[in-house]
Amino acid sequence: MSFRGFQKSVVRAPQQFKAKFNIGENTKDPVFIDAERRFHELEVETKRLHDESKKYFDAINGMLSHQIEFSKAMTEIYKPISGRMSDPDSVHIEGNPDGIRACEEYEAIVKDLQDSLKPELEMIDSRVIRPANELLDVLKIIRKTATKREHKKLDFDRHNATLKKLQDKKEKSAKDEKNLWKAETDVEQATQEFNYFNDLLKDELPKLFTLERQFIKPLFQSFYYMQLNIFYTLHEKMQNCDIGYFDLTLDVEEAFIKKRADIQERTEELSIVRFKTSGQKKPPKYGNKPPAIEAGTRPAGLLTAGTSTPSTPSLAETKYGQQSQPEIVENPPPPYSATAAALKTPMSPPLAGPKSPGLAALAAGKPKPPPPKPKPSRLSGAPPVETVTALYDYSAQAEGDISFRAGDVIEIVSRTQNDNEWWIGKCHGKQGQFPGNYVKIG
């Protein structure tokens, strides 16, 4: 837009605002309004005709190209990876000679079909797509004329409003008389320009609509017959396709089942296809196990991590004078487990003999746990926020879970005393559940 055009746009802006919201007097021509509506529909439908014809042209070309690429991919699958120890058929020259030969024959048929359809596709481009594109260029020129007519209407309404305002003024000064004379001149010029473009479009647009119908009729007929030729050629070429690898006498589903044989059952018997994802907790894959998992694999009730001789059962392994098998603690106690230990000790009666001196020495040498923090008073404010640190990466397995990476700090919303259960926390601005054995408290 030139600078002069920008100035005119600024001058017309108030009147354009009034016309949009129907404020004041606005010139309306019902005949032109109806013609402009039909012209807009013609623009939309011509653009759609051009775009859909181009899509059809690209779709036929793309279909044939994809068929050729499909046959090439099947050929590569049938051929073994020679020299690779992972390929059981690497000692053979060809893995499936019949299948490879069928793919090559199919590729040759599709290429021949592509050459046969090339003239028809070129006719679609020359008789449908190009004429529609030329019609779009003509409509763009007409749209510029309609836009110019709209600008002249704004100028006419603007000058007419100025003239009426000066005429309604009771006492006029010399300056007002001069402005009145200028306004009359502007209105006369604006009227001539607006009527020229308005009458031109009202007279020419109906003729355009008649020519448009005459233009579309042979266009549609040509497109229809070209489609028939394309589909007939496709049908004839594929109907006469005689590849011995395919049994065309059978139904499609029956031929598929016959070719497949028991491959699906044999594949499902492989152990590597039985690993399926689920909504359960993912066990850690690499690195050290979380402390909670390692602690769960030890015998219940051991005071230390030291070695113990098989002949000397521990206090927790002895029940009523009999040696019991080690048990896996499913719900280990939380930190500061003095209370839990006190509750569990009476369940195991003391042994009749004296305690092992080595066990007693280890128990005596173990440092006492630190005392718990004092309870906050009522005046101390809100309790501190409890946080945990992620030991492993975790990706959300279901809706309501949160994801985090090793080292992230997670704010605890609620948790149980068992770190083998699901806790609720906040991380990266999201709140959700996460496995307790993937984090470390503190």
Side-chain angles (χ1 to χ4, degrees):
M1 179 185 293
S2 62
F3 181 72
R4 186 178 178 183
F6 175 75
Q7 286 181 324
K8 290 182 179 180
S9 300
V10 173
V11 173
R12 292 168 180 155
Q15 184 61 36
Q16 192 172 10
F17 178 82
K18 293 179 181 179
K20 184 176 182 180
F21 294 97
N22 199 19
I23 301 174
E25 294 183 2
N26 297 294
T27 303
K28 294 182 180 179
D29 190 341
V31 177
F32 174 79
I33 291 175
D34 181 67
E36 201 276 335
R37 178 186 56 82
R38 292 183 58 190
F39 177 71
H40 176 69
E41 294 176 355
L42 175 61
E43 285 182 306
V44 174
E45 297 304 325
T46 304
K47 183 70 168 60
R48 183 183 299 176
L49 172 66
H50 173 270
D51 293 346
E52 297 302 326
S53 302
K54 187 70 169 59
K55 289 179 182 178
Y56 180 81
F57 177 83
D58 295 337
I60 298 297
N61 277 325
M63 178 187 68
L64 299 175
S65 299
H66 291 320
Q67 285 178 284
I68 294 175
E69 294 300 324
F70 172 81
S71 114
K72 291 181 179 179
M74 292 299 300
T75 304
E76 292 299 323
I77 292 175
Y78 284 142
K79 290 181 180 179
I81 308 175
S82 302
R84 302 291 180 90
M85 296 301 296
S86 60
D87 187 1
D89 294 330
S90 60
V91 296
H92 301 289
I93 299 177
E94 293 182 348
N96 189 348
D98 296 335
I100 295 174
R101 192 180 306 109
C103 289
E104 292 174 350
E105 293 178 8
Y106 176 77
E107 183 178 348
I109 293 173
V110 176
K111 286 183 177 180
D112 180 60
L113 181 61
Q114 197 174 33
D115 296 336
S116 301
L117 292 179
K118 188 175 180 180
E120 298 293 336
L121 294 175
E122 289 178 351
M123 290 179 63
I124 291 179
D125 182 60
S126 60
R127 296 187 181 183
V128 180
I129 299 177
R130 290 181 188 173
N133 195 26
E134 293 172 357
L135 179 58
L136 282 176
D137 294 337
V138 173
L139 296 180
K140 288 179 182 178
I141 298 174
I142 300 175
R143 172 53 65 186
K144 289 182 179 179
T145 305
T147 303
K148 198 170 188 66
R149 180 259 180 199
E150 183 65 21
H151 291 166
K152 296 303 179 182
K153 183 182 80 71
L154 292 175
D155 292 338
F156 172 74
D157 292 338
R158 177 168 57 86
H159 293 309
N160 200 20
T162 302
L163 176 62
K164 187 176 181 180
K165 184 178 179 180
L166 292 173
Q167 289 176 345
D168 293 342
K169 197 171 184 180
K170 296 181 179 179
E171 297 181 359
K172 301 182 181 64
S173 61
K175 185 177 181 180
D176 292 337
E177 293 292 342
K178 182 179 180 181
N179 292 336
L180 180 62
W181 178 81
K182 184 178 183 302
E184 290 176 351
T185 305
D186 292 340
V187 168
E188 183 179 357
Q189 182 179 358
T191 303
Q192 293 177 359
E193 292 177 352
F194 170 69
N195 288 336
Y196 170 77
F197 287 102
N198 189 59
D199 295 341
L200 176 65
L201 289 172
K202 287 196 300 182
D203 182 56
E204 298 291 339
L205 283 179
K207 298 178 182 178
L208 176 68
F209 300 147
T210 303
L211 295 174
E212 178 260 340
R213 287 193 295 269
Q214 297 176 1
F215 171 80
I216 292 295
K217 186 176 180 180
L219 200 70
F220 176 70
Q221 185 174 359
S222 300
F223 188 66
Y224 175 75
Y225 283 113
M226 283 184 284
Q227 276 186 319
L228 287 181
N229 291 337
I230 289 174
F231 289 122
Y232 176 78
T233 306
L234 284 170
H235 180 267
E236 286 296 317
K237 291 288 184 180
M238 300 309 295
Q239 188 71 19
N240 297 328
C241 176
D242 186 13
I243 300 177
Y245 189 73
F246 307 114
D247 188 359
L248 301 180
T249 60
L250 298 177
D251 184 67
V252 176
E253 186 174 359
E254 294 179 0
F256 171 75
I257 295 175
K258 181 180 178 181
K259 282 288 183 184
R260 186 183 63 178
D262 61 340
I263 296 300
Q264 182 175 357
E265 290 77 9
R266 291 165 57 187
T267 304
E268 291 176 351
E269 291 176 358
L270 298 176
S271 59
I272 58 175
V273 302
R274 298 180 183 178
F275 289 90
K276 299 181 180 179
T277 58
S278 63
Q280 302 296 327
K281 297 181 293 183
K282 288 178 62 179
K285 293 183 178 180
Y286 307 106
N288 297 329
K289 294 183 179 180
I293 297 180
E294 293 181 355
T297 59
R298 298 173 183 172
L302 289 181
L303 296 179
T304 65
T307 57
S308 59
T309 57
S311 60
T312 306
S314 63
L315 294 176
E317 293 176 347
T318 306
K319 295 183 179 180
Y320 304 105
Q322 296 181 358
Q323 184 176 352
S324 61
Q325 297 293 332
E327 298 178 356
I328 302 299
V329 179
E330 296 182 356
N331 299 322
Y336 306 120
S337 56
T339 305
L343 294 175
K344 190 173 181 180
T345 302
M347 296 177 61
S348 301
L351 296 176
K355 294 182 179 180
S356 171
L359 186 61
L362 291 174
K366 184 178 180 181
K368 295 182 180 180
K373 296 181 180 180
K375 295 182 179 180
S377 61
R378 297 181 179 179
L379 302 178
S380 62
V385 178
E386 184 181 9
T387 59
V388 294
T389 304
L391 296 173
Y392 304 93
D393 296 345
Y394 177 74
S395 300
Q397 301 294 318
E399 185 177 0
D401 294 358
I402 58 174
S403 302
F404 51 80
R405 301 185 67 84
D408 288 350
V409 177
I410 306 171
E411 180 181 338
I412 295 296
V413 177
S414 66
R415 70 176 181 90
T416 63
Q417 298 299 321
N418 185 1
D419 58 1
N420 286 325
E421 295 181 353
W422 292 86
W423 297 354
I424 300 177
K426 293 181 180 178
C427 184
H428 302 300
K430 295 184 180 180
Q431 178 173 325
Q433 295 182 339
F434 63 93
N437 59 355
Y438 270 54
V439 299
K440 176 180 68 175
I441 299 177

